[in-house]
Each structure stands twice: as C-alpha cells, then as structure tokens.
Amino acid sequence: MTTKVKLTDWETVTAELQQFGATGEVSTSDDSVHVQFGSAYIEVTKAGTIRTGMPLHELEHEGDVSLVVDHENNAISIQTDDLDYTFRRP
C-alpha cells in the first residue's frame, strides 16, 4: 500500500512512520518522529525538516514536502518541486 501525505497532516505522518519503522526503533514526540534501522535513519519534524542517513550518504531538507510511503517496497520518497529522494528500509 502506498500513501502520499503532507507534513501538515501530522497525525497521518506519525502513523505512517510508526508502521514503516515497525522492524526498527521508532521514537516520537509531539513534533518529531525518528526511525532507526541500525546505522540508517529517517527523522521528520512537524516544522518541516527531514533528515536521512545511511553509511554512505545523508540528506537534510527543510520546507514543504510530500512523503510517499510505500510499505510493500519498504521505501519512503521525499518529494518537492526540486527534489525526489527515496529512502529504502535496509
């Protein structure tokens, strides 16, 4: 199942990331969600910051984005007018 969600829909963002991170470690607060899979992570804040990291690269973006969560393919795509980045669950 694939879900596209804007960060302004924080309840759905939190629920989708908790489901995505079910095989890793998920920590949530009122304004952020951090999902850790060993040395790889994705962190999303309600204010619009997204950080991802894996052993060979990192990404940080601030501003309006859409998250496309693809549970079947274990991936989250971060989409803006200028960016289309995919984080794959290891």
Side-chain angles (χ1 to χ4, degrees), residues 5-19:
V5 61
K6 300 285 275 177
L7 294 185
T8 53
D9 185 359
W10 189 245
E11 246 181 65
T12 303
V13 168
T14 300
E16 289 293 327
L17 289 174
Q18 287 174 327
Q19 182 180 347

Side-chain angles (χ1 to χ4, degrees), residues 28-49:
T28 62
S29 69
D30 289 342
D31 62 352
S32 70
V33 180
H34 182 93
V35 182
Q36 188 84 34
F37 302 101
S39 60
Y41 70 91
I42 182 167
E43 181 177 48
V44 179
T45 71
K46 194 173 188 177
T49 301

Side-chain angles (χ1 to χ4, degrees), residues 16-75:
E16 289 293 327
L17 289 174
Q18 287 174 327
Q19 182 180 347
F20 181 78
T23 61
E25 297 176 31
V26 180
S27 55
T28 62
S29 69
D30 289 342
D31 62 352
S32 70
V33 180
H34 182 93
V35 182
Q36 188 84 34
F37 302 101
S39 60
Y41 70 91
I42 182 167
E43 181 177 48
V44 179
T45 71
K46 194 173 188 177
T49 301
I50 297 179
R51 293 181 188 90
T52 67
M54 293 188 162
L56 298 177
H57 72 276
E58 292 182 344
L59 170 82
E60 183 170 339
H61 176 79
E62 291 187 33
D64 188 36
V65 302
S66 293
L67 296 179
V68 179
V69 184
D70 184 345
H71 295 288
E72 291 176 9
N73 292 306
N74 303 320

